[in-house]
Amino acid sequence: MVQPPPPPPMPPNQPPTPEDGTGAPQDPAAKAPQQPQQPPAPPPAQATTQPSFQPPAVPPVPPSPPSAPPAQPAWGGPAAPGSPSPAAPYPYPSANPNPNPYAQQQPGPYGAYPPPGQPFGAPPPAGPPAGGADKKRTAVIIGAAVAVLLAAGGGVWALTGSGGDDPHPPKASGSASPGKNGSTGGDSGGTAGPRDGEDDDDPNSGRQDGEAKVLINQNGPQVEQAGSAVPGVWAFGDYVVKTVQEKVIAYSTSDGKEKWSIALPKRVCAAPADVTDDGKVVVAYDGDTKDSCANYAMLDLKEGKKGWDKPIPKSGGFAESFIGLDMALSGNAVGAAWFGGSGMLRVSDGEPISTPGLEAGCSVDGFAGGKAMLRSWQCVDDETSHIEKLDTSTGKPVWTYDGRKGLGTRKIYSSEPAVVFLLSRDKKSGAVVALKDGKERSVIDQGKETYTPTCGLSIMGHDLGGCQGVAATDSTLYLPTGGEDSYSAGNEIHAFDLDTGKRKWASKRTKPQLMPLRAEGDKVFAYQEPSYDKAGAVVSIGPDGEPKVVLQAPKATMKAEDMFFSARYLYEGDRLIIANTRLSGSSSEGPDANKLLLAFGKG
């Protein structure tokens, strides 16, 4: 296929892009400590084959590497004879005078992207990312994430995600109310299920004609710390399955009640967005050290049982801290990246899948799952991200895209078709690029428009595939417009041809704003946020641009929809699911306090 040329550069005075989309940036200095200066790149080194659970390689120091790349074991361990000694790229003191080659750090907080060598042109300006009430609470999450990293003794930290400051953020309660078993339900333990009594006011009792039925309405437990993570929600069969601290609970969409639960030794700290076709998923849970995702467990959502349970392989130093671990699942494989390493394993038995080795001075940005497994990596010497589609059975690359000089992988909007958001470190150059067989299929022509997918919060930035508010079919990409007034003035959804990068059509401007959920055929389904007098809804939009309501939430849930602290939205079949991925720590009472899970359906 003849590749279309990239669009002409945007005007040089355009503002840079945000952390989570293609719109205007949120000033990281306003939310986070100043990042350290990167040292100059060292000379390149010979490639080595690294273990499947591998820390990133780091720049070598003399002497020169061997003439042939030695093999290394599949599960961590000492370096092969003749391997170069690491030199830390960051000012972290080494506790070991003879550093382990696996005890190394990830590159800089934003992926170490230098000024671009071959820019696409400056991305267009934009305002705060879409997502309404979800964005108003980010400040609390940031505070919690900072506490995590300070407790870990970091000194350097990175935060990527949506912007926006809530002038009245939820407050953490000084002490949490005990659950049914007398436990606080805080991060260090306690009940994981919802409290009794939240359904005193049945939202279905006053349901009007045309309104959806509330299938599940659950509150979360009280927590001691605002921003406590409860990652992971999946729709499987008649169940909606949700992680709730140290438990995984399945709720039935027929009566909203708990059908089974799986207890884990400690709090679930990371989970992928997808499950296998037969209902299996792998989650990570805390180890002995606080805020360290050190263990994996396979869960069978069909049977409601835990399968294998294993610690993540250790290899010394920062590689075994597992801080900022993010996960992606595709087929029978799970990929994970964290501060100090990365790896892939089989869902069925937890055995490692060897991934391609990287040269010294290179490290993995992260994974994106779904229909395919993509891995992004970059090297300090050229600071350019490379993207691979990996065979989920063998771990070998199906294709590799070598990127544009100086541009890093900020997000992966879709794994199949492959659509990625690339950005320079100074955020003055970047683009959304569609890939096919490792080559550029098209560059999305954004013009001067503002687009704001909702990509949430990812400590260390390894959650490359975690964006919401973007959808794709084999031929079309759907992005929401945004800006400073999008919450009050509404927004549009634009459809782009993935073969040409040109816009095909735009939806009618709709207020409140729209967030794409999934795409089928020539239509996109989107969540329309609640207004001051109407609950949220799912709408379908086709080439005529006219939003048509397919599922209208009842007016009785208006307040509940706005109570979500950090929501994940799913539209599976004809059911809308809204689930919190963090709990606010609110001590307020009432039917909508500390909302955990809502599900709507026809009936």
Side-chain angles (χ1 to χ4, degrees):
M1 179 188 303
V2 177
Q3 299 297 323
M10 299 300 297
N13 60 350
Q14 297 283 2
T17 61
E19 313 309 332
D20 65 340
T22 57
Q26 303 296 324
D27 183 8
K31 298 187 178 74
Q34 185 66 33
Q35 308 300 332
Q37 295 296 318
Q38 302 297 326
Q46 293 272 350
T48 59
T49 301
Q50 297 189 356
S52 59
F53 277 83
Q54 60 194 43
V58 293
V61 294
S64 300
S67 57
Q72 294 182 349
W75 283 86
S83 295
S85 299
Y90 280 90
Y92 281 92
S94 175
N96 186 350
N98 300 306
N100 186 298
Y102 299 138
Q104 300 151 7
Q105 296 83 36
Q106 291 285 359
Y110 297 107
Y113 312 141
Q118 298 178 6
F120 288 93
D134 195 30
K135 301 298 169 292
K136 303 174 187 177
R137 301 172 171 88
T138 305
V140 177
I141 304 174
I142 291 176
V146 172
V148 167
L149 293 171
L150 291 178
V156 177
W157 64 280
L159 219 48
T160 65
S162 56
D165 292 325
D166 184 1
H168 304 289
K171 297 180 180 179
S173 55
S175 62
S177 301
K180 290 192 291 184
N181 297 325
S183 171
T184 64
D187 283 347
S188 58
T191 64
R195 300 182 303 277
D196 289 341
E198 69 262 29
D199 294 324
D200 292 342
D201 297 323
D202 184 1
N204 290 316
S205 60
R207 190 158 56 105
Q208 303 296 313
D209 290 343
E211 291 184 339
K213 181 180 180 180
V214 179
L215 305 176
I216 301 172
N217 180 24
Q218 294 289 340
N219 285 356
Q222 293 294 327
V223 292
E224 294 177 340
Q225 180 179 332
S228 295
V230 283
V233 59
W234 308 279
F236 185 76
D238 294 330
Y239 297 143
V240 176
V241 183
K242 182 76 186 79
T243 68
V244 194
Q245 295 186 316
E246 72 275 14
K247 287 187 179 181
V248 180
I249 304 175
Y251 299 99
S252 171
T253 55
S254 61
D255 58 15
K257 296 181 179 179
E258 178 181 325
K259 293 305 176 183
W260 54 256
S261 68
I262 300 172
L264 294 170
K266 293 192 176 181
R267 179 186 65 97
V268 176
C269 47
D274 301 284
V275 299
T276 64
D277 291 341
D278 59 352
K280 293 182 175 63
V281 69
V282 177
V283 300
Y285 66 89
D286 281 341
D288 294 332
T289 304
K290 184 175 175 60
D291 302 315
S292 174
C293 276
N295 303 282
Y296 282 152
M298 188 270 279
L299 310 177
D300 188 329
L301 306 187
K302 185 176 182 180
E303 301 295 333
K305 297 178 181 179
K306 183 176 73 169
W308 55 263
D309 189 332
K310 300 180 180 182
I312 301 176
K314 295 183 178 181
S315 51
F318 285 104
E320 63 182 47
S321 67
F322 309 117
I323 295 173
L325 185 145
D326 285 301
M327 305 172 69
L329 183 149
S330 179
N332 189 35
V334 165
W338 59 87
F339 178 61
S342 65
M344 251 172 67
L345 55 79
R346 289 197 298 261
V347 175
S348 56
D349 57 12
E351 290 301 305
I353 301 172
S354 295
T355 52
L358 303 178
E359 292 182 353
C362 304
S363 60
V364 173
D365 300 319
F367 294 83
K371 294 181 180 179
M373 180 70 78
L374 301 187
R375 183 181 80 154
S376 176
W377 56 274
Q378 65 174 293
C379 300
V380 174
D381 58 357
D382 68 356
E383 298 176 324
T384 298
S385 282
H386 308 261
I387 299 171
E388 299 169 318
K389 178 180 179 180
L390 300 180
D391 185 305
T392 55
S393 298
T394 65
K396 295 180 179 179
V398 177
W399 52 253
T400 301
Y401 169 66
D402 286 325
R404 295 280 188 111
K405 181 70 174 178
L407 296 183
T409 305
R410 172 54 93 198
K411 290 294 178 181
I412 296 177
Y413 288 158
S414 172
S415 63
E416 188 64 49
V419 182
V420 301
F421 172 36
L422 306 177
L423 186 66
S424 63
R425 179 171 173 79
D426 61 10
K427 304 179 188 177
K428 293 181 178 179
S429 179
V432 177
V433 182
L435 305 176
K436 187 172 183 179
D437 299 329
K439 301 183 184 302
E440 290 184 7
R441 179 180 179 184
S442 67
V443 177
I444 302 303
D445 185 359
Q446 301 172 64
K448 296 183 179 180
E449 189 55 82
T450 297
Y451 297 100
T452 53
T454 302
C455 295
L457 179 74
S458 174
I459 301 173
M460 304 298 170
H462 299 303
D463 188 18
L464 297 183
C467 292
Q468 299 187 95
V470 59
T473 65
D474 290 341
S475 61
T476 308
L477 174 71
Y478 299 91
L479 289 172
T481 65
E484 293 182 0
D485 62 347
S486 62
Y487 186 72
S488 59
N491 71 339
E492 302 170 4
I493 293 177
H494 291 180
F496 293 90
D497 188 316
L498 287 177
D499 287 327
T500 66
K502 301 297 183 182
R503 194 174 80 181
K504 297 166 68 174
W505 52 264
S507 74
K508 176 184 176 181
R509 176 167 286 271
T510 302
K511 183 172 65 174
Q513 62 187 353
L514 301 169
M515 181 178 72
L517 297 174
R518 79 165 193 255
E520 291 180 0
D522 62 352
K523 293 182 179 180
V524 61
F525 294 93
Y527 175 64
Q528 183 174 9
E529 297 182 351
S531 65
Y532 71 93
D533 63 349
K534 195 172 184 179
V538 176
V539 300
S540 69
I541 311 170
D544 63 0
E546 188 68 34
K548 300 176 178 63
V549 174
V550 295
L551 192 71
Q552 175 64 59
K555 192 171 183 178
T557 65
M558 282 175 51
K559 182 180 178 182
E561 287 182 81
D562 197 46
M563 291 295 291
F564 281 84
F565 182 47
S566 177
R568 189 79 187 171
Y569 298 84
L570 304 176
Y571 184 58
E572 300 286 346
D574 58 357
R575 297 173 300 182
L576 171 66
I577 299 162
I578 309 175
N580 256 331
T581 59
R582 293 183 182 271
L583 295 174
S584 67
S586 172
S587 60
S588 62
E589 299 297 333
D592 299 317
N594 215 17
K595 186 60 65 181
L596 176 72
L597 181 64
L598 275 175
F600 306 93
K602 296 179 179 178

